[in-house]
Amino acid sequence: MVLDGGFMVPQTNSFGHTFRDYHVESERQQGVENFYRTNHINQTYDFVSNSCFYVKRMRKEHGKLNKVELSIWECCELLNDVVDESDPDLDEPQIEHLLQTAEAIRKDYPDEDWLHLAGLVHDLGKVLLHPGFGGLPQWAVVGDTYPVGCAFDKTIVHHKYFEENPDFYNSAYNTKHGVYSEGCGLNNVMMSWGHDDYMYLVAKENNTTLPPAALFIIRYHSFYALHRSEAYKHLMSEEDVENLKWLQIFNKYDLYSKSKVRIDVEKVKPYYLSLIEKYFPAKLRW
């Protein structure tokens, strides 16, 4: 398969399996499934008085952006030691994935520099795994995201584990619309907490000049039930529909550029530093 700009989509991931196959037997399959079981049990709508991490609490706590001040590139370098336990396709450090995504987009869309930068920064929210940012567990940071406060769509990976989530049986939350209304807009929908929402908050609150489509990509790139399976479209606004077109373009590079081929960091670094300077302040609050 060749994408519009010429990017060749590989037939298999770095382990020799099809991409996003969550059931094939592999060295990562059991760990990935265990991750999603924990994720689906704990991501609920309401914060109740116990020790679990819940979506509202996460947004309130981490939305303060009072942990540290770092540049975008400094944050990229922190991901050198981060491996995403939810990803069945890659076990390389996250900085490799960021650069692979950005460079693949850059090759096919040379004039859309904002899209190159979206590729570089889209996963920076995974720094929440770092001790200096709270050291959150993987289930509260990575993996596919989905709305909470309405029914869990059956297209969500390892859906069966939602049966252990209290919201699954809550009549206020387990209908098609739940607490939302038709066409309310994704901006009004509470998503499961993770690196997408965190990086969106960081970019927005630090006054990035990236266009709305880039912020939409950052915020919803892990929302596979929407951009791959077309679930939850009844909640979208007209603006969401337009931005989704760019997200679906972006997703192909985010997913299929993953490989064991390393990017020469020092060679591409000056280009990305120039984009960071164009669209972000020198230091950001995280």
Side-chain angles (χ1 to χ4, degrees), residues 215-274:
L215 293 176
F216 189 90
I217 287 169
I218 292 168
R219 193 175 194 182
Y220 300 111
H221 68 271
S222 299
F223 191 4
Y224 274 82
L226 171 68
H227 61 72
R228 291 296 295 276
S229 303
E230 299 193 339
Y232 300 105
K233 293 186 78 171
H234 59 283
L235 301 177
M236 297 174 66
S237 66
E238 292 183 7
E239 184 179 4
D240 293 333
V241 172
E242 288 303 309
N243 287 330
L244 180 61
K245 297 173 185 177
W246 279 110
L247 175 54
Q248 289 172 325
I249 290 172
F250 173 87
N251 172 251
K252 297 171 185 178
Y253 297 92
D254 181 20
L255 178 58
Y256 296 118
S257 66
K258 297 173 183 176
S259 74
K260 295 288 187 179
V261 178
R262 294 294 186 95
I263 301 293
D264 186 337
V265 177
E266 293 307 312
K267 181 178 180 181
V268 301
K269 182 177 178 179
Y271 174 69
Y272 290 103
L273 287 178
S274 70

Side-chain angles (χ1 to χ4, degrees), residues 22-89:
Y22 290 91
H23 302 288
V24 67
E25 291 187 13
S26 71
E27 58 190 89
R28 288 181 61 78
Q29 188 273 334
Q30 192 58 54
V32 171
E33 182 165 348
N34 288 340
F35 161 86
Y36 274 106
R37 179 178 183 274
T38 307
N39 173 279
H40 290 354
I41 292 171
N42 287 291
Q43 293 273 10
T44 69
Y45 183 77
D46 289 320
F47 174 77
V48 292
S49 56
N50 60 33
S51 60
C52 291
F53 291 101
Y54 287 81
V55 176
K56 287 184 177 179
R57 177 179 164 191
M58 291 295 98
R59 285 186 65 90
K60 183 177 180 180
E61 179 178 340
H62 296 283
K64 295 176 183 177
L65 305 181
N66 60 0
K67 293 178 177 59
V68 68
E69 287 195 1
L70 289 174
S71 70
I72 289 289
W73 193 263
E74 287 171 332
C75 200
C76 288
E77 292 177 332
L78 284 180
L79 294 186
N80 269 324
D81 300 320
V82 172
V83 174
D84 185 339
E85 291 179 2
S86 73
D87 193 341
D89 299 320

Side-chain angles (χ1 to χ4, degrees), residues 85-100:
E85 291 179 2
S86 73
D87 193 341
D89 299 320
L90 192 66
D91 60 357
E92 295 292 327
Q94 285 299 294
I95 191 171
E96 291 294 326
H97 169 55
L98 299 182
L99 289 169
Q100 288 169 350

